[in-house]
């Protein structure tokens, strides 16, 4: 409207000059001022509304995705690569976040402005309006459809490829020590380079397409200007169109193409946006590994964990990982589970933490089925040292305080003393503020294990599960640490999973697991002679 009013004003002034007539310049120039102001306000308004809508969406989308992801971890996400998960959390959500700004808002603007422009032209001349409409359809529908068609392949490859590439990159960084040994020719790196080059090539194709369609829209706009001038000329001569209205319509048509200009890009990004949406939903629509009960019952004040006739078969597995397990962990009772690799020991831990649900039998806490409890509430009653305990890239103190954020320095020191790591911590220049490196890379295997054990001990929970707690320790240290830990845990229910003998002599019961079944059980006096002298 600003351009059209200016065009009209300039031509009207020129015509008035040629005719030697006087004209009211005040209304026209006031109109131009008003349109100029309106344009600034309009642009500002569009940005405010667009960004407000996007930010509101952003504020909900990421927490929504995260909240749906948490119940899936860890069991339903085992097949996911961490880099790919990160890509979903980042790139895919970014793409969806901008869907409003890049797709919805341009579409609405094009419909409103395009419709108004054609309607305005129709008020003056039907043929001019038809010509403008035709070219607008080419620029606003034809070119976007073409861009969508040509860009669909690269856009989808970029959406899927980014996840795979980021997953590969994270793997590469985490496994660089192994790659240095096993892959001196850099085949893994070469595969990543090839994936990166393919992504870049697709990005290049999309950028080229965006430039070509932008040029196409520009061409249509210029064609509209020329068309209006050509169609209007005979009408001006015949007196059916005002001399000043003629350039006004031409400039109006030209300017109206501004509104359709973003459409090709919008349709070009649509496949990537849809692919990202599909990737997000493919994950959050997974059934949780543990069925969620509608309403949970409060946990009994205290009690032990009891397995009765419990069985577990992993999805797709030919045989059960566990069958007919009966086990009681009550306060002050210490039970060890021993057995060869793959006999189902870690699966027991996954069941106890309700990361998985049994498909036979029941597990109860304080007599109440754990299926009726909120899983996190149950987990607060259990302290676990897992087989692959995760150390954070942080200080010793921060790693300890994962278990209890408000643990006093004295409590931290006591837990470290019990786990036999305090002398090491005190020998460090920075003591508890020593940085442990990525995943504890600056600690030895045995130090990392004992730090993990200290953290487990720091969690004040009635049930203590220790999966190979003394892995990486020498025989003497192992015996000392086990004695200290079992003394400290004398009032707790303890489940010790081990293939070593240290601490077994102090157990109330030793259970031998073989092929997912309890092959033998009894007191240390009965069981120790049956176990291999490891
Ligand atoms: N997430 C899983 N999906 C499918 N099968 C699994 C999964 N985790 C474990 N298994 C299988 O279940 C069986 C028991 O595994 P589990 O890890 O419980 O054994 P384990 O006794 O802890 O072994 P180890 O002493 O080597 O740690 C094995 O046959 C294993 O291959």
């Amino acid at each position: 409207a600003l351009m059209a009013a200016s065009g009209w004003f300039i031509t009207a002034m020129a015509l008035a000059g040629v005719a030697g007539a006087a004209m009211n310049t005040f209304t026209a120039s006031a109109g131009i001022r008003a349109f100029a102001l309106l344009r600034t306000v309009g642009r500002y308004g569009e940005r405010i509304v667009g960004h407000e809508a996007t930010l509101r969406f952003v504020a909900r989308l990421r927490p929504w995705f995260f909240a749906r992801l948490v119940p899936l971890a860890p069991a339903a996400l085992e097949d996911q690569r961490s880099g790919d998960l990160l890509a979903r959390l980042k790139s895919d959500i970014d793409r969806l976040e901008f869907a409003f700004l890049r797709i919805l808002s341009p579409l609405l603007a094009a419909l409103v402005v395009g419709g108004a422009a054609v309607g305005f032209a129709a008020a003056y001349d039907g043929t001019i309006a038809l010509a403008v409409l035709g070219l607008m359809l080419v620029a606003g529908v034809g070119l976007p459809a073409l861009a969508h068609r040509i860009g669909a392949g690269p856009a989808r490859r970029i959406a899927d490829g980014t996840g795979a590439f980021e997953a590969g990159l994270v793997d590469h960084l985490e496994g660089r020590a192994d790659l240095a040994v096993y892959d001196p020719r850099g085949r893994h790196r070469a595969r990543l380079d090839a994936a990166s080059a393919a992504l870049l090539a697709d990005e290049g194709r999309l950028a080229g397409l965006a430039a070509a369609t932008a040029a196409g829209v520009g061409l249509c706009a210029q064609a509209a200007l020329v068309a209006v001038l050509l169609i209007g000329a005979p009408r001006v001569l015949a007196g059916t169109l005002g001399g000043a209205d003629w350039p006004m319509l031409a400039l109006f048509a030209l300017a109206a193409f501004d509104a359709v200009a973003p459409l090709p890009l919008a349709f070009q990004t649509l496949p990537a946006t849809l692919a990202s949406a599909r990737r997000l939903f493919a994950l959050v629509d997974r059934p949780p590994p543990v069925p969620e009960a509608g309403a949970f019952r409060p946990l009994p004040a205290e009690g032990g964990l009891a397995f009765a006739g419990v069985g577990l078969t992993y999805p797709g597995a030919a045989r059960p990982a566990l069958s007919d397990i009966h086990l009681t962990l009550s306060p002050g009772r210490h039970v060890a589970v021993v057995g060869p690799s793959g006999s189902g020991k870690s699966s027991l831990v996954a069941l106890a933490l309700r990361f998985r649900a049994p498909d036979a039998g029941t597990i109860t806490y304080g007599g109440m089925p754990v299926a009726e409890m909120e899983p996190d509430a149950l987990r607060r009653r259990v302290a676990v040292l897992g087989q692959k305990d995760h150390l954070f890239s942080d200080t010793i103190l921060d790693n300890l305080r994962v278990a209890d954020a408000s643990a006093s320095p004295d409590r931290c020191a006591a837990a470290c003393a019990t786990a036999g790591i305090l002398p090491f911590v005190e020998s460090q220049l920075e003591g508890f503020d020593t940085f442990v490196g990525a995943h504890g890379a600056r600690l030895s295997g045995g130090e990392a294990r004992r730090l993990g054990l200290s953290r487990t001990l720091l969690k004040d929970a009635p049930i203590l599960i220790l999966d190979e707690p003394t892995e990486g320790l020498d025989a003497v240290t192992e015996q000392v640490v086990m004695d200290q830990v079992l003394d400290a845990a004398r009032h707790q229910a303890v489940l010790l999973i081990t293939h070593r003998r240290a601490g077994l002599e102090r157990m109330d019961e030793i259970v031998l697991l073989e092929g997912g079944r309890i092959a033998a059980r009894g007191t240390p006096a009965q069981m120790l002679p049956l176990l291999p002298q490891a």
Side-chain angles (χ1 to χ4, degrees):
L2 175 63
M3 225 160 136
S6 311
W8 178 87
F9 184 49
I10 294 166
T11 323
M13 288 280 284
L15 289 177
V18 170
M23 71 172 274
N24 171 10
T25 56
F26 180 76
T27 318
S29 57
I32 291 172
R33 276 287 141 105
F35 282 134
L37 275 176
L38 210 65
R39 187 175 81 138
T40 315
V41 173
R43 286 256 153 96
Y44 181 71
E46 183 215 321
R47 294 277 189 284
I48 290 276
V49 171
H51 285 94
E52 177 70 18
T54 303
L55 287 175
R56 276 173 191 262
F57 191 44
V58 172
R60 297 214 171 97
L61 191 59
R62 227 175 280 259
W64 167 84
F65 182 66
F66 204 75
R68 301 282 300 260
L69 213 56
V70 169
L72 297 179
L77 298 179
E78 271 166 0
D79 59 340
Q80 291 296 310
R81 304 166 77 188
S82 50
D84 189 58
L85 277 179
L86 198 65
R88 285 180 214 233
L89 252 174
K90 214 183 132 287
S91 338
D92 288 333
I93 288 189
D94 277 353
R95 242 175 244 128
L96 281 195
E97 282 169 2
F98 287 104
F100 181 83
L101 273 187
R102 290 200 192 131
I103 300 176
L104 214 57
S105 142
L107 202 63
L108 282 176
L111 279 176
V112 172
V113 175
V118 173
F120 184 71
Y124 287 87
D125 189 282
T127 318
I128 289 182
L130 270 183
V132 173
L133 176 66
L135 284 162
M136 266 197 174
L137 286 178
V138 171
V141 180
L143 283 177
L146 200 66
H148 178 79
R149 220 187 134 94
I150 302 176
R156 207 172 309 115
R157 283 199 296 274
I158 288 175
D160 293 339
T162 312
F165 176 71
E166 291 190 13
L169 198 62
V170 170
D171 264 357
H172 189 84
L173 292 174
E174 287 184 345
R176 62 197 182 285
D178 294 286
L179 286 174
V181 175
Y182 296 116
D183 186 21
R185 294 208 201 154
R187 279 192 300 267
H188 196 268
R189 163 85 195 260
R191 271 206 303 278
L192 274 183
D193 283 345
S196 159
L199 279 176
L200 279 177
D202 278 331
E203 297 269 9
R205 271 180 212 117
L206 285 189
L209 190 62
T213 48
V217 173
L219 212 63
C220 288
Q222 301 299 329
L225 178 91
V226 174
V228 175
L229 290 178
L230 287 180
I231 299 170
R235 286 165 170 72
V236 173
L237 289 178
T240 49
L241 185 65
D245 296 338
W246 182 40
M248 174 190 72
L249 283 179
L251 288 176
F252 193 71
L254 179 70
F257 274 80
D258 264 6
V260 289
L263 286 187
L265 191 63
F267 279 87
Q268 192 182 311
T269 49
L270 191 62
T273 310
L274 293 179
S276 289
R278 261 196 304 275
R279 280 164 48 80
L280 288 182
F281 282 105
L283 210 58
V284 296
D285 285 348
R286 286 183 173 197
V290 177
E292 301 229 357
F296 295 118
R297 289 168 62 191
L299 262 68
E302 54 189 44
L305 208 54
F307 289 61
V310 166
L312 171 70
T313 307
Y314 286 105
R319 61 172 195 87
L322 289 172
S323 328
D324 200 27
I325 302 294
H326 293 265
L327 205 63
T328 306
L329 298 173
S330 43
R333 190 159 187 269
H334 294 182
V335 177
V337 173
V338 294
S341 178
S343 56
K345 304 182 298 293
S346 303
S347 304
L348 270 181
V349 182
L351 287 174
L353 289 172
R354 213 163 152 66
F355 286 148
R356 297 205 175 261
D359 34 42
T362 47
I363 303 174
T364 52
Y365 175 79
M368 188 200 289
V370 294
E372 296 171 16
M373 298 168 188
E374 189 197 343
D376 278 345
L378 173 70
R379 286 171 203 148
R380 278 194 285 277
R381 305 283 174 95
V382 187
V384 183
L385 175 68
Q387 211 172 54
K388 297 176 209 139
D389 216 31
H390 183 85
L391 287 183
F392 294 88
S393 313
D394 228 323
T395 62
I396 290 178
L397 188 65
D398 287 325
N399 267 291
L400 289 170
R401 284 189 170 159
V402 168
D404 179 357
S406 59
S408 67
D410 283 350
R411 271 197 68 214
C412 290
C416 286
T418 308
I421 189 75
L422 190 61
F424 166 79
V425 177
E426 287 176 342
S427 72
Q428 298 298 300
L429 276 181
E430 294 182 84
F432 280 96
D433 293 327
T434 304
F435 180 60
V436 302
H439 306 315
R442 293 170 71 174
L443 303 180
S444 77
E447 287 156 5
R449 198 72 192 137
R450 278 175 289 168
L451 180 56
L453 179 58
S454 322
R455 178 166 69 191
T456 309
L457 298 175
L458 211 50
K459 179 169 172 180
D460 200 10
I463 297 169
L464 182 61
I465 300 181
L466 304 171
D467 195 348
E468 305 287 1
T470 52
E471 194 71 36
L473 302 192
D474 60 80
V476 177
T477 318
E478 179 183 23
Q479 191 61 53
V480 172
V481 168
M482 274 321 294
D483 278 337
Q484 292 178 169
V485 169
L486 292 175
D487 284 346
R490 61 193 167 279
H491 300 303
Q492 285 167 290
V494 173
L495 175 64
L496 171 68
I497 293 173
T498 186
H499 64 269
R500 305 158 78 108
R501 295 180 80 92
L504 286 185
E505 72 289 350
R506 295 185 51 174
M507 292 292 120
D508 294 301
E509 185 183 26
I510 298 175
V511 175
L512 173 64
L513 212 56
E514 272 173 7
R517 294 185 166 273
I518 294 179
R521 69 195 311 161
T523 60
Q526 294 164 325
M527 294 297 293
L528 284 175
L530 304 179
L531 301 180
Q533 296 287 323

